[in-house]
Amino acid sequence: KQEVTQIPAALSVPEGENLVLNCSFTDSAIYNLQWFRQDPGKGLTSLLLIQSSQREQTSGRLNASLDKSSGRSTLYIAASQPGDSATYLCAVRGDPQGGSEKLVFGKGTKLTVNP
Amino acid sequence: DAGVIQSPRHEVTEMGQEVTLRCKPISGHDYLFWYRQTMMRGLELLIYFNNNVPIDDSGMPEDRFSAKMPNASFSTLKIQPSEPRDSAVYFCASLGNFEQFFGPGTRLTVL
């Protein structure tokens, strides 16, 4: 059974700092990995998606990497801003060949960027 | 496209009442997912559909929960009877080629 772990559970940093959020998963037979952002009381917004054949994806100040063999992904946020404060969730999708389109989520990292 | 649409956004009901949550997926998406999010358990998949057919309902907690997808543009999640421990945020999501897109959620409070 796939399990996804995110460390740390919470992180507080000063504005302008570069930071890394970590995600690990137990079964490396994944189809892709998605990073989401969730603001308080809101739904999930997809930030980046990395296919299993890819090593990284970038969008603006965000960069996500994937090391499938070791079961790890990182989300790098450059020059953090107070508006980046949110909970960041990592989710992995099983191999559709195995009949699974399900996403398995980690419990998230709550990020606070202080002005 | 307006994205995934859910209604109601908030629901407060009393224990024992029937609750029906509604979802309209993004047009053209073949998969629809229902999730539940709580502080204790995080985000849990309840059930998902492919082309309106339920594929995996192993996450549905009890027989009190049921879900239907009568057509490609509409799904319901019903709880009957509701209990206080059902209080949570319920999300609907639909899957395009690769990415899942989430609705804004329904916050359910059962008193």
Side-chain angles (χ1 to χ4, degrees), chain B residues 3-73:
Chain B
V4 177
I5 299 172
Q6 290 188 247
S7 65
R9 295 293 311 277
H10 301 272
E11 177 80 30
V12 180
T13 190
E14 293 188 345
M15 183 173 63
Q17 296 297 307
E18 177 180 296
V19 175
T20 299
L21 311 182
R22 297 172 177 79
C23 175
K24 181 182 185 329
I26 293 172
S27 177
H29 285 190
D30 293 333
Y31 290 88
L32 183 140
F33 302 79
W34 281 101
Y35 293 89
R36 177 172 68 176
Q37 187 178 40
T38 61
M39 289 292 292
M40 289 296 293
R41 301 172 69 94
L43 204 58
E44 303 173 282
L45 177 66
L46 300 177
I47 184 171
Y48 77 97
F49 296 82
N50 179 23
N51 291 320
N52 313 337
V53 176
I55 301 301
D56 185 344
D57 65 355
S58 60
M60 297 285 262
E62 300 171 36
D63 291 345
R64 299 184 294 106
F65 286 70
S66 62
K68 294 182 180 179
M69 192 165 186
N71 57 62
S73 59

Side-chain angles (χ1 to χ4, degrees), chain A residues 12-85:
Chain A
S12 181
V13 300
E15 181 177 3
E17 192 162 297
N18 302 324
L19 57 99
V20 174
L21 308 181
N22 296 294
C23 171
S24 62
F25 46 95
T26 54
D27 185 351
S28 62
I30 66 169
Y31 183 66
N32 61 37
L33 183 146
Q34 250 178 295
W35 281 94
F36 292 87
R37 169 184 173 140
Q38 186 174 29
D39 293 285
K42 305 290 186 182
L44 279 69
T45 301
S46 181
L47 296 173
L48 288 165
L49 180 142
I50 311 177
Q51 299 287 20
S52 61
S53 58
Q54 296 175 321
R55 296 283 294 181
E56 65 178 334
Q57 283 287 335
T58 298
S59 176
R61 295 182 293 107
L62 305 180
N63 176 277
S65 67
L66 174 64
D67 184 343
K68 201 172 84 161
S69 60
S70 68
R72 293 180 183 180
S73 176
T74 61
L75 179 66
Y76 175 82
I77 303 177
S80 58
Q81 303 170 358
D84 295 330
S85 298

